[in-house]
Amino acid sequence: MLEAHEIGGPVRPLSPHMVLAAPVPAPPHVPCYSHLFGDNNLMLLRDGKSVHLSLDKRTGSGFMSNDLYLHGFFSASIKLPADYTAGVVVAFYMSNGDMYKKNHDELDFEFLGNIRGKEWRVQTNVYGNGSTSIGREERYTLWFDPTEEFHQYSILWTGDQIIFYVDDIPIREIKRTGDMTRDFPSKPMSLYATIWDASTWATNGGKYKVDYRYAPYIAQFSDLVLHGCTVDPIERSRQCDNISPEVGSIPSGITPVQRVKMSNYRKKHLTYSYCYDKSRYKAPPSECVFDSREADRLKRFDPVTFGGGRRSHGRRRRDDKSSSI
């Protein structure tokens, strides 16, 4: 994800009214986000609560939070570009790569565009303390069309766990294990949202590139939530939002009902997980929890990567999309 926010240019404050910071809005005189890059390719709508990020042949665009956070709940409602989107990446993520060049932390939602008629894919990733040599990617399909309406994508980050949500359904959980302590994100991070050209890898390993005849590609963001512990990097002080029992919109973990939904989602929509990638790891990393149903599905989907078998030259069976979880 560093390609996006390494693009130069001044960082300019956005309107303070674009944030729906739950449960308590930011004071009106304190902007919570700044324009990261992209000049006029970032458009704040008149309602003050929605932002359009666009990609054209000239540049992509993005914004970032003004504060650093050590743990919290971070969320946005996002509507993705439609039609031909191969090579396009829309990202909603946390990172401290600008501060820690060699040992950065990162939590990613990456939305990978596709050719016409093929669905967007979602990728999540986790880096801790510069552990980029150990890829922890997972990829999924969705049970809805993310270009038709807004859906909520959220990250819960605590000292012991990381949970990725789509709407109210957790799709991935990472628990901090003893062996993973060094690789678990542990330093303050900023929140980013970007759209950019990733033609070199995003769609079929770079086979399909961004086609600017379909530009501009516009990603819409709304209902942004920053709820956590802000950190002053100079004074090293920390101020946390109060999470009370009355605040039902801020999750603290996975409920039993949500755990069932997560299992069903992963059984139907998981298309890649590093935990089962036998071409990369002889033994899965320590934090991986083996699920025989996930392993069997992935092995059928790609016997070379997940089973060590030989790839068939026949037609691959396409898993049916479900209308619900």
Side-chain angles (χ1 to χ4, degrees):
M1 285 310 312
L2 294 181
E3 294 92 333
H5 64 262
E6 284 176 348
I7 297 175
V11 176
R12 299 189 298 274
L14 294 174
S15 164
H17 305 293
M18 68 170 285
V19 181
L20 290 181
V24 181
H29 62 282
V30 182
C32 291
Y33 294 91
S34 291
H35 190 169
L36 180 61
F37 72 99
D39 299 327
N40 295 326
N41 282 15
L42 183 151
M43 182 174 65
L44 176 65
L45 301 193
R46 290 183 177 180
D47 65 3
K49 302 174 184 178
S50 303
V51 178
H52 287 186
L53 298 181
S54 64
L55 167 68
D56 56 28
K57 196 169 185 177
R58 183 176 53 88
T59 183
S61 54
F63 61 86
M64 64 178 292
S65 65
N66 287 342
D67 288 326
L68 291 163
Y69 291 83
L70 182 62
H71 307 145
F73 180 74
F74 311 93
S75 183
S77 292
I78 304 172
K79 185 178 178 182
L80 298 174
D83 204 358
Y84 183 98
T85 55
V88 177
V89 168
V90 175
F92 179 69
Y93 65 106
M94 304 194 71
S95 178
N96 50 31
D98 289 337
M99 295 181 61
Y100 302 95
K101 298 291 186 181
K102 296 182 178 180
N103 62 335
H104 84 284
D105 304 300
E106 193 166 318
L107 301 173
D108 293 336
F109 262 116
E110 294 175 303
F111 304 93
L112 312 180
N114 219 325
I115 60 175
R116 179 180 289 139
K118 300 291 185 179
E119 57 203 358
W120 280 82
R121 293 143 304 141
V122 180
Q123 177 168 286
T124 61
N125 208 345
V126 176
Y127 295 123
N129 205 33
S131 58
T132 55
S133 62
I134 303 178
R136 290 185 166 91
E137 305 97 331
E138 287 195 345
R139 287 190 290 274
Y140 329 82
T141 58
L142 295 166
W143 68 96
F144 53 82
D145 184 346
T147 72
E148 290 185 347
E149 56 187 17
F150 284 89
H151 288 269
Q152 186 179 28
Y153 304 90
S154 309
I155 300 170
L156 176 66
W157 172 37
T158 74
D160 299 312
Q161 66 178 346
I162 298 161
I163 303 172
F164 293 87
Y165 298 84
V166 176
D167 292 332
D168 65 340
I169 297 173
I171 65 170
R172 181 180 184 184
E173 177 185 32
I174 302 102
K175 293 184 177 180
R176 182 174 189 164
T177 63
D179 292 338
M180 193 192 178
T181 297
R182 186 180 183 279
D183 292 348
F184 194 88
S186 58
K187 298 185 292 297
M189 293 188 277
S190 299
L191 184 72
Y192 294 84
T194 59
I195 185 170
W196 51 292
D197 184 331
S199 291
T200 57
W201 64 270
T203 307
N204 285 34
K207 180 179 179 181
Y208 300 103
K209 316 293 185 184
V210 173
D211 187 340
Y212 286 104
R213 293 178 298 175
Y214 298 94
Y217 299 97
I218 300 175
Q220 303 175 53
F221 288 77
S222 186
D223 298 336
L224 292 146
V225 174
L226 287 169
H227 189 87
C229 298
T230 59
V231 176
D232 187 314
I234 298 176
E235 298 181 0
R236 297 184 181 275
S237 60
R238 186 169 77 161
Q239 181 176 351
C240 298
D241 292 324
N242 180 40
I243 300 179
S244 65
E246 290 77 19
V247 182
S249 61
I250 307 299
S252 59
I254 300 177
T255 68
V257 172
Q258 285 179 319
R259 194 163 293 281
V260 171
K261 290 184 177 182
M262 180 171 71
S263 178
N264 290 337
Y265 171 82
R266 293 177 63 86
K267 182 174 64 176
K268 296 175 182 178
H269 297 282
L270 180 68
T271 62
Y272 176 84
S273 174
Y274 73 105
C275 286
Y276 305 103
D277 190 340
K278 294 187 177 182
S279 68
R280 293 174 69 183
Y281 305 111
K282 293 182 179 179
S286 63
E287 72 276 6
C288 292
V289 177
F290 183 82
D291 185 308
S292 60
R293 293 180 303 173
E294 291 181 3
D296 289 344
R297 180 181 186 276
L298 291 175
K299 186 175 180 179
R300 292 194 302 270
F301 185 78
D302 187 340
V304 174
T305 301
F306 303 110
R310 300 180 61 184
R311 191 180 301 279
S312 171
H313 294 287
R315 293 183 63 185
R316 179 183 293 174
R317 178 181 64 83
R318 180 180 177 87
D319 293 288
D320 294 332
K321 289 184 71 176
S322 173
S323 60
S324 61
I325 299 300

